[in-house]
Amino acid sequence: MRRFTAAVAVLLLSLTACDSHTTQEVAPTPAPTGNLCERLAPHLSGSWKAAEAGSRLNTPLADSCSLVNTTQQVHQVLVSLSAVPVTDAQFALSRKSDGEVISGLQYAAKVIDGGVGPGSWAVNPAAAAPWLVFRADNRQIKLLFQNDGSGTLAELRSMARTILALPGGLPTAPAIIAQPACARGTAAAERLLGEKAVLRRDTLTDGYVWCQWGSQTLTVAVRSGGLGSDPSMDFGDMKDAFYAHRVKVAAEGWQASNGPLTFRTAKNAYVELVTTPDVPVRPAALVALAQAIAPAYA
């Protein structure tokens, strides 16, 4: 199966020295603006510009953007920055998850030391695009070439070191980016999380709503699309899988024995529900979320 109120701190440093004759004021230093790609592009060697990234499912919940080389459009890097800090244990769990992905896809590669700070890791497949994961200010960052063969792990490491030295540090992240249609699923998603969602990341992709709710450790995601989209292909795979069974959601729903669920509406919108990391969840709770969110696609 295939992307709360945060404090935005602006430090106003006013140092005033007064005597009977003069008053001096130091102007406040403006807080850096822009997403991480916009912040990073001017500091990279070569011709890079920031671009929007499509909807992504990330663990932990993250904001994504893209860097595009203007002299070679195929040379693109996806940049994902976690919306909240991650602990050492969460960081280690992400590394373990990447190792399981590599094993499952049978890449001619393995997870190796990233070489960019403690605990960082990288994957450099022989026949796929490399990626690198590290932390800055305890926030998890993933750099991934979006086209196979378009870049090297050495380039990603150079970008990572530039991020670590960025003037002003990392951009802050809003806690809520919401689409109204996703609100109908919030209560059911929080029952899956086992607590109130501290993060929301909802988007409209090709006219279809994607919804993501996150705690510090778990993300619940609803992804959707039309015929030919990844959710529609996942629907076909699930329907044909020996481990899936029919569920009463919309026009046709199927669910894996360990929870993940996909359904089709009468208007041929295809919707899938997953949790990340891929941990056991109550299948009935995912069905409840599917039933709550289905009217958004009717």
Side-chain angles (χ1 to χ4, degrees):
M1 304 286 295
R2 283 214 15 172
R3 239 290 245 181
F4 215 50
T5 301
V8 180
V10 180
L11 301 181
L12 302 178
L13 304 179
S14 298
L15 304 178
T16 306
C18 302
D19 59 25
S20 59
H21 303 289
T22 63
T23 299
Q24 294 179 328
E25 293 186 359
V26 178
T29 301
T33 59
N35 64 32
L36 183 51
C37 294
E38 293 167 339
R39 191 85 58 82
L40 179 60
H43 299 277
L44 297 175
S45 59
S47 300
W48 292 90
K49 68 176 183 179
E52 293 298 319
S55 298
R56 308 288 301 186
L57 178 62
N58 296 287
T59 304
L61 207 55
D63 295 314
S64 299
C65 56
S66 290
L67 288 164
V68 181
N69 190 308
T70 58
T71 62
Q72 188 182 6
Q73 291 293 318
V74 73
H75 204 192
Q76 299 180 23
V77 178
L78 178 69
V79 179
S80 297
L81 170 64
S82 70
V84 292
V86 297
T87 65
D88 291 346
Q90 291 165 346
F91 196 48
L93 182 61
S94 291
R95 177 170 181 157
K96 179 182 177 182
S97 178
D98 268 9
E100 291 170 348
V101 168
I102 289 299
S103 177
L105 294 177
Q106 298 181 337
Y107 280 165
K110 61 181 180 179
V111 174
I112 60 175
D113 178 60
V116 189
S120 65
W121 72 91
V123 179
N124 194 16
W131 69 86
L132 171 68
V133 184
F134 64 103
R135 279 191 297 182
D137 295 334
N138 287 325
R139 291 168 70 187
Q140 183 168 310
I141 301 172
K142 182 174 184 178
L143 305 178
L144 165 68
F145 276 108
Q146 296 185 268
N147 299 289
D148 294 349
S150 66
T152 67
L153 182 56
E155 287 180 275
L156 296 184
R157 285 176 171 146
S158 177
M159 286 184 176
R161 294 185 182 104
T162 302
I163 290 172
L164 291 172
L166 274 179
L170 301 175
T172 55
I176 301 175
I177 300 175
Q179 288 285 331
C182 294
R184 65 176 66 246
T186 297
E190 289 179 338
R191 285 193 288 272
L192 274 163
L193 293 173
E195 59 183 298
K196 289 286 185 181
V198 296
L199 296 166
R200 284 272 300 279
R201 288 294 184 273
D202 306 337
T203 57
L204 197 64
T205 302
D206 298 328
Y208 292 89
V209 175
W210 288 42
C211 313
Q212 296 186 70
W213 301 266
S215 67
Q216 291 284 349
T217 57
L218 182 65
T219 298
V220 178
V222 176
R223 299 177 286 181
S224 58
L227 283 169
S229 67
D230 287 335
S232 74
M233 290 186 281
D234 289 340
F235 175 86
D237 291 343
M238 182 74 79
K239 182 176 180 178
D240 295 336
F242 71 90
Y243 51 78
H245 59 276
R246 188 78 177 259
V247 290
K248 293 182 179 180
V249 180
E252 183 181 2
W254 294 88
Q255 185 174 33
S257 55
N258 62 338
L261 184 154
T262 181
F263 66 88
R264 174 182 62 83
T265 71
K267 294 184 178 181
N268 284 333
Y270 294 86
V271 185
E272 57 184 345
L273 289 76
V274 295
T275 59
T276 59
D278 186 14
V279 296
V281 297
R282 292 182 295 113
L286 266 177
V287 173
L289 174 56
Q291 291 171 338
I293 204 69
Y297 303 96

